Amino acid sequence: MSWTEIYPIMTEDLVEEFEELATADERAELEEWFGVREVFNEQRSKKHLISVSMFWKPSQASKKPYPEPTREILMNPSEFDLDLRFEPWPHYIEPILETVPKLLKTYDDVAVRVYLAADLDFLVTDFVEAGCEVFLMRHPSIAHAPGVAWRVLAFSEKDRLVTMMDADRIREAAADIERTRAMERDGLGVWRVPVALDTDVSGKVCYKPFIGCQMGAVGGWPMERLIHAFTWHTLRGGLPPMVELPGCGLRQFNLGKWPDYGYEEWFLAVAMYPRMAGAGMLTFAPATVKSVFLLLDIEYVTWANPASQLVFFPVAGCCSPAAGAKLKENELAAAFEAHARSSQNRLEAVEA
């Protein structure tokens, strides 16, 4: 059994089918969902791009809609009777405003791009003053999508390094920047941290070759074409979120429904993973992982590009005397830096 027998793939034939059959109205709707209205503080000359999405919508379309956003609501949602998992200002917005100025002093070749929902346009000045490049979108997002998928559009930037992450991970951006640079030094095109869990308690498939908040790549991919085609097929039922569980038959994927949470990771798995595999992947996996899907995944990417690499990083309980203790981000970063040094030593040995 191989990867192509278990996960659906958006083939080039399907992309061409979209291009041949999509109506003018369907194309206009897709452009509204994924199109950019205006760009502020553009920084095209910088080699390395960090991409994040920012929007104000519930994770599922079935949930009660949020009120029209204002600065006051984002800062104090409880005063407006909103019971949210995270308060938007301190959890998503403030970290960017505080971290980006410091980050840009350390990495002068890095640009931080915020794909900003249309109804959050009052934040443009805040992000620009912090040093961000802002892509103001045409749409406010429906639910988690299309907003969460805007950030993947940055992978279209030809010959640039692109690091994609969640806004609430911006304080850890330096570690992800170094992972992207290690990937480039090794002559690879992509790095990622897969979600190496085969199934959840209900039996639905959870494994994802990419987690959207931790990945990077060399840009130059036709992202608009692919996300438009993927969404068009999804809405027509052409790419149902179903996966062949090895030895057990067809199972439902636990995410991937438009426009709900996880949509962009289903897109990455079905449309981008088969294409990016050939560029060579630097895969970071937890040392305690036990996953049938990971075995098939690694077999596939090493077949697609034999230069691909797999690096195991320590997690709580795998090698620490204090089982259950959480490792800090700087400890994980040290493991990635050790890998980078090892790779550089190998390259120097070959050159010698």
Side-chain angles (χ1 to χ4, degrees):
M1 175 172 276
S2 67
W3 183 265
T4 55
E5 295 176 281
I6 61 173
Y7 258 75
I9 290 177
M10 189 176 76
T11 63
E12 194 60 25
D13 286 344
L14 291 176
V15 178
E16 291 175 359
E17 182 182 341
F18 156 72
E19 293 177 332
E20 292 172 6
L21 300 180
T23 67
D25 287 345
E26 288 171 333
R27 290 175 181 273
E29 187 172 47
L30 289 164
E31 184 56 39
E32 185 68 17
W33 286 337
F34 295 100
V36 178
R37 180 200 300 173
E38 191 173 356
V39 177
F40 299 87
N41 195 28
E42 191 168 17
Q43 300 171 38
R44 294 283 181 184
S45 63
K46 294 190 175 183
K47 178 185 177 181
H48 196 151
L49 180 62
I50 293 176
S51 179
V52 302
S53 287
M54 185 74 66
F55 55 96
W56 166 249
K57 295 293 177 181
S59 57
Q60 281 88 30
S62 60
K63 290 189 175 182
K64 181 180 178 180
Y66 292 163
E68 190 72 18
T70 64
R71 188 178 298 268
E72 291 72 27
I73 288 176
L74 297 180
M75 287 183 167
N76 300 293
S78 59
E79 293 186 7
F80 296 85
D81 296 323
L82 290 173
D83 183 17
L84 305 176
R85 183 183 179 191
F86 300 113
E87 293 192 2
W89 194 276
H91 195 80
Y92 299 106
I93 300 169
E94 192 172 76
I96 291 180
L97 300 181
E98 292 182 350
T99 304
V100 170
K102 302 171 187 176
L103 187 71
L104 299 183
K105 288 182 179 178
T106 303
Y107 296 98
D108 58 7
D109 63 340
V110 169
V112 178
R113 178 181 297 174
V114 179
Y115 286 91
L116 188 65
D119 57 356
L120 295 178
D121 56 352
F122 56 87
L123 293 176
V124 167
T125 300
D126 297 84
F127 288 132
V128 168
E129 289 181 351
C132 298
E133 178 184 74
V134 178
F135 275 39
L136 183 63
M137 307 305 288
R138 294 185 180 183
H139 201 270
S141 193
I142 301 170
H144 210 243
V148 70
W150 293 333
R151 59 188 179 176
V152 306
L153 297 171
F155 289 119
S156 64
E157 300 281 341
K158 187 172 177 58
D159 298 327
R160 296 178 77 181
L161 296 179
V162 181
T163 300
M164 190 172 78
M165 61 193 315
D166 287 350
D168 59 354
R169 287 197 70 253
I170 195 68
R171 292 191 176 104
E172 285 74 51
D176 285 2
I177 289 171
E178 295 303 329
R179 293 164 191 159
T180 304
R181 293 183 174 185
M183 168 205 79
E184 184 189 35
R185 284 194 300 270
D186 280 10
L188 302 173
V190 187
W191 74 266
R192 46 75 182 257
V193 179
V195 177
L197 178 65
D198 287 350
T199 60
D200 61 16
V201 293
S202 70
K204 292 181 180 179
V205 173
C206 298
Y207 187 90
K208 296 188 284 286
F210 292 110
I211 185 169
C213 67
Q214 283 186 285
M215 66 174 294
V218 178
W221 302 92
M223 300 308 302
E224 182 177 292
R225 177 175 183 256
L226 293 174
I227 192 68
H228 283 196
F230 179 82
T231 302
W232 183 80
H233 277 289
T234 296
L235 293 173
R236 292 164 61 94
L239 286 167
M242 302 295 291
V243 176
E244 185 77 19
L245 182 63
C248 297
L250 201 63
R251 295 286 181 88
Q252 185 176 345
F253 189 66
N254 72 328
L255 299 172
K257 179 184 175 182
W258 170 271
D260 292 347
Y261 179 83
Y263 181 75
E264 97 288 8
E265 289 176 339
W266 181 240
F267 163 73
L268 289 169
V270 173
M272 296 311 301
Y273 171 75
R275 289 169 169 80
M276 286 182 158
M281 286 197 183
L282 173 56
T283 301
F284 294 104
T288 54
V289 65
K290 296 178 180 179
S291 168
V292 172
F293 282 107
L294 181 63
L295 297 176
L296 294 168
D297 178 332
I298 297 304
E299 177 191 48
Y300 182 72
V301 299
T302 50
W303 166 81
N305 189 324
S308 296
Q309 298 180 33
L310 173 62
V311 177
F312 289 104
F313 60 82
V315 293
C318 71
C319 54
S320 169
K326 291 185 178 180
L327 291 177
K328 297 179 180 178
E329 176 66 25
N330 61 356
E331 292 176 292
L332 295 181
F336 299 136
E337 289 168 5
H339 162 74
R341 288 194 299 271
S342 175
S343 298
Q344 186 60 34
N345 290 340
R346 290 198 302 273
L347 288 172
E348 291 173 355
V350 170
E351 291 170 357

